[in-house]
Amino acid sequence: MKAITPDLIWLPECHATDARHKHISAYLISSGKRNILIDSSSHIQEEEFVSKLNNCVGKTGLDALILTHSDLPHAGNVQRLRREFGGFSLYAAFTGGTAPPEVLGMGDSTAIDMGRTMEICGRELSFPWPPLADVTNTAWIFDHGSSTLFTADGFGHFHSSGSCELTTAELEKGVRSTDILDFHRYTLPWLPYIDPNRIRDALKSLITTYDPSCIAPVHGNPIMAADIPTYMSQLQDALVAISNTTPTIRA
Amino acid sequence: MAREIRDGIYWITDCDSKAGLKDKFEDDPPDWYDGQSEVHIPSHAYLVKGEKSLLFDTLSPRSGDKISNELNELLDGQSLDYLVPSHPEPPHAGNTMRLSNEFPDTTLVAPEWSQNPELYYLDEARQYGAGDTLDLGTKVVEFQKAIFPDVAMSFWLFERETRTLFTVDWLGMPHLGHECSDYIDDFDRLDLHNRFFHFHRTALFWLQYANIDKIAATIAQIEDKYSPTTLAPAHGNVIGHTEATVAQAMERMIPVTEEIINRGRSEQFEV
C-alpha cells in the first residue's frame, strides 16, 4: 500500500497477465477520523487485502464502501469486509435491476446519485457519467477533498514487474503506449465501433471540469497531474488505433 | 413456464416489474404503452436440447429457485451437460455456482480469450474460442465473441440447425405485463424503435459514441453469416415468427443507434 496524498491511500494487487501485470486496486480516502473505501478488490487475495486495510484503518474502522460496479474484481470482498468491519455504509451504482447489492449478499446499500454530488462521511463526492466503462452500471467518483478522479476500468494499463507500487510520477519512462492500447482493446471490446473524437471530447470535458490532481484507475498506476496530458494523448492514440480496426465475425 | 421457441430450444423467462418506468410512461406514454399495464424488463435463459443439453445464462441470484425448477422440469431427470454463462455479470451468471452444484456432472464453459478467469471462479471451466462448435446431437452450437458487447468475457451463441442467434444484451426491450412470453409479432402495439431505443440507450451506453457505418456494416455481416430465423436476446422478447421480422428487427437498430448518438445515453441506470 502507498500513500498518494495525506488522505489518499492506494491498495494495489497485481495479477500476472501474459508477460505483464495488471493492477486490481482499491483506494482508501482517509481523513484520519473517517475512512471511505473505493472498491473492494478481488477474492483472490482476500486475506492480504483485508490485512492491508486493517493496517490502514486501525481502530477507526471503515465508515463507507463505494463500489464502482458489481464486477467481481471490484466487488469481490464485500461480504468479508462486512464480517471484518461491521456496519459501514455501502454505496453502489447497481442498486436497481435484478441484482442489487442486497440480492448479491452484500447487505443494505444506498444508490449513488449519478451525475450529482453527494456528501458521504463528511466528504464531497461527485459522480460524473463515465465515458469509458465495461459495465453500464458503473460510477466514476471525484473526491473534491483530495482532487482525485476514480475511474474504475477507464484509464487502465498493464505494467511490468518492478512498477507495481509506483505512480506515474515515479515511472522513469512513463506509461508505455502499448500497455494502454492493449488494456483498452481487451477490456472495452466495444471500442472498435466508436468514433474516437466523441469519447475524446467527453473525456476532455471531464478533465477540464474536475481538473484532478490524480486519476486513480483500478487497473493501472495512479496518474498524477503533471502526467495527465501525456496520458490523455496516449489514450487518444489508443482509441484511434482501436477504432480503426474493422469488427469482423470469426468464421 | 418455459416456452419452446424452436424444436428443442426453450425460452425461460424472468421478468422484473419496473414501477418507475410505469410512472414515467403514464406521464409521457410512448406509442407502445397502453396507459395502464405494468412495464417489465426481462432476463432470460435458454435451454438447447439435442441428445445433450446446454443452458445459456442462468438468471439473477434472486431467481435461483425459478431457474432450478424450470430446468428440472425441462430435463426431466436427465443431466445438464453444458452450463454457459454468456458473461460474468450477476443477471446472467448469478446462478452458475448453484446450478453447478445441483448438476455436478455439468461442464462449465468460459471464453478462450478470458484474461484471469480465476477472478470470476472460471479457472476450471472448459474454454471455447470464437468459431468453435459443440455438437449436442441434433443441435450444433457455435460460440462467438459477443458482437455488440459490454464486457470482454462475453459469448454470443448460434444454434446451426434452427439458425437461432442468441444476442445477449443486444436487442433487449421493455414489454407490457401481459406480453412476457410473446414473440414480438404478437404484440398489439409493437413500436419496436421506441422499445429498442429505451433499452439500448441505458444498457449499451457506448452506442452514444458509435460510428453508425460500422454498426450498419456489422449488422449486414450478421445477416450474411447467420441468416438467423430466430433472435433470442437476454433482455427482450424472442423475435422469430418470420424471417422478415428478424431482418427488420436487426436493421431497426441502425436508426435506433442514430437516435442514441444524437440524444445520448439515458441518465438513469435502471433500464
Side-chain angles (χ1 to χ4, degrees):
Chain A
M1 60 195 185
K2 185 182 187 112
I4 307 288
T5 67
D7 55 356
L8 179 65
I9 299 170
W10 176 30
L11 298 158
E13 292 174 31
C14 272
H15 290 261
T17 302
D18 55 60
R20 296 173 288 186
H21 289 187
K22 182 168 83 174
H23 285 114
I24 296 178
S25 299
Y27 292 89
L28 187 70
I29 303 171
S30 180
S31 66
K33 291 181 183 175
R34 303 184 82 176
N35 294 308
I36 302 171
L37 185 65
I38 308 293
D39 274 355
S40 74
S41 203
S42 84
H43 71 279
I44 299 291
Q45 285 173 272
E46 176 182 329
E47 292 305 323
E48 189 176 324
F49 175 70
V50 171
S51 174
K52 277 190 232 179
L53 188 57
N54 259 314
N55 287 340
C56 293
V57 303
K59 288 180 184 174
T60 309
L62 186 62
D63 298 280
L65 167 61
I66 304 175
L67 293 177
T68 58
H69 54 308
S70 62
D71 193 33
L72 277 171
H74 304 257
N77 291 309
V78 178
Q79 292 174 353
R80 174 63 190 274
L81 294 178
R82 285 286 191 204
R83 292 196 301 273
E84 193 77 23
F85 297 102
F88 56 83
S89 300
L90 176 62
Y91 295 83
F94 55 98
T95 52
T98 63
E102 291 80 358
V103 167
L104 299 178
M106 297 178 183
D108 291 340
S109 65
T110 300
I112 284 172
D113 203 356
M114 287 302 299
R116 292 190 163 78
T117 298
M118 299 171 75
E119 184 181 306
I120 295 176
C121 297
R123 304 286 289 209
E124 187 183 3
L125 297 166
S126 295
F127 298 93
W129 291 97
L132 296 172
D134 55 349
V135 173
T136 195
N137 288 25
T138 293
W140 282 13
I141 305 153
F142 181 72
D143 172 46
H144 291 261
S146 64
S147 189
T148 303
L149 182 65
F150 301 94
T151 55
D153 283 69
F155 288 84
H157 47 269
F158 296 110
H159 64 279
S160 44
S161 64
S163 302
C164 302
E165 295 211 4
L166 302 180
T167 70
T168 57
E170 297 163 320
L171 292 171
E172 200 177 308
K173 295 180 183 176
V175 180
R176 290 187 298 207
S177 294
T178 50
D179 290 337
I180 298 171
L181 170 67
D182 292 342
F183 175 84
H184 284 84
R185 178 163 46 204
Y186 173 78
T187 304
L188 304 180
W190 45 266
L191 286 176
Y193 292 103
I194 60 107
D195 175 344
N197 293 329
R198 293 181 198 271
I199 294 191
R200 175 201 63 198
D201 293 346
L203 290 171
K204 271 189 177 174
S205 173
L206 266 177
I207 299 302
T208 302
T209 298
Y210 292 105
D211 192 22
S213 300
C214 174
I215 294 176
V218 169
H219 304 299
N221 306 75
I223 304 161
M224 306 313 291
D227 302 311
I228 291 174
T230 300
Y231 194 99
M232 286 282 283
S233 175
Q234 290 173 294
L235 177 57
Q236 184 61 16
D237 289 345
L239 296 179
V240 169
I242 296 168
S243 65
N244 280 340
T245 59
T246 302
T248 50
I249 304 169
R250 188 81 61 89
Chain B
M1 187 165 163
R3 179 173 181 175
E4 189 172 16
I5 57 172
R6 289 284 164 184
D7 176 46
I9 300 188
Y10 297 88
W11 173 21
I12 302 169
T13 66
D14 187 34
C15 283
D16 193 19
S17 181
K18 300 290 190 181
L21 287 183
K22 182 176 190 291
D23 291 342
K24 176 180 167 176
F25 293 146
E26 279 176 344
D27 287 344
D28 185 17
D31 287 348
W32 58 270
Y33 186 62
D34 65 5
Q36 60 189 23
S37 297
E38 286 186 351
V39 178
H40 292 178
I41 299 289
S43 291
H44 304 315
Y46 293 92
L47 181 68
V48 182
K49 271 182 75 175
E51 289 158 20
K52 294 187 176 183
S53 59
L54 180 152
L55 181 70
F56 191 51
D57 271 349
T58 74
L59 305 183
S60 155
R62 73 154 197 200
S63 305
D65 288 346
K66 182 180 176 78
I67 188 79
S68 177
N69 292 339
E70 295 264 25
L71 208 50
N72 277 296
E73 188 168 328
L74 289 169
L75 292 172
D76 193 23
Q78 295 178 326
S79 61
L80 176 65
D81 296 289
Y82 298 96
L83 180 57
V84 186
S86 62
H87 55 300
E89 265 189 342
H92 300 265
N95 293 296
T96 302
M97 214 168 279
R98 172 173 175 162
L99 294 177
S100 294
N101 290 334
E102 286 185 14
F103 298 94
D105 295 330
T106 196
T107 298
L108 182 60
V109 170
E112 183 183 72
W113 57 89
S114 307
Q115 287 181 4
N116 302 115
E118 68 278 10
L119 295 173
Y120 299 95
Y121 302 97
L122 291 173
D123 38 322
E124 295 186 8
R126 184 183 297 178
Q127 295 189 338
Y128 285 85
D132 285 350
T133 58
L134 187 52
D135 188 345
L136 302 175
T138 73
K139 297 281 180 294
V140 176
V141 295
E142 176 187 315
F143 295 94
Q144 272 298 343
K145 277 193 179 184
I147 297 169
F148 295 115
D150 50 10
V151 302
M153 287 174 62
S154 283
F155 277 130
W156 278 17
L157 217 60
F158 179 68
E159 200 291 304
R160 288 182 172 179
E161 300 305 308
T162 62
R163 305 216 316 275
T164 301
L165 184 63
F166 301 88
T167 60
V168 191
D169 288 319
W170 196 55
L171 304 180
M173 70 184 88
H175 63 255
L176 301 175
H178 56 269
E179 294 174 333
C180 299
S181 295
D182 291 349
Y183 294 144
I184 65 165
D185 310 71
D186 299 324
F187 289 172
D188 289 333
R189 309 182 203 192
L190 178 53
D191 190 12
L192 197 57
H193 182 101
N194 280 315
R195 294 192 198 229
F196 275 164
F197 173 73
H198 175 83
F199 178 82
H200 288 84
R201 71 186 304 222
T202 300
L204 293 183
F205 78 96
W206 56 265
L207 289 174
Q208 66 182 316
Y209 306 121
N211 175 325
I212 195 63
D213 292 335
K214 287 195 163 184
I215 300 290
T218 302
I219 291 172
Q221 272 193 67
I222 294 171
E223 288 170 342
D224 190 48
K225 176 174 169 60
Y226 292 121
S227 296
T229 62
T230 308
L231 299 168
H235 299 296
N237 291 62
V238 168
I239 301 164
H241 259 337
T242 67
E243 292 197 13
T245 310
V246 167
Q248 272 172 27
M250 289 196 290
E251 286 160 17
R252 174 51 57 181
M253 279 304 300
I254 299 170
V256 166
T257 303
E258 283 178 318
E259 187 170 354
I260 295 171
I261 291 169
N262 291 333
R263 293 176 59 186
R265 71 178 300 167
S266 167
E267 291 208 342
Q268 60 182 59
F269 271 145
E270 188 169 348
V271 179

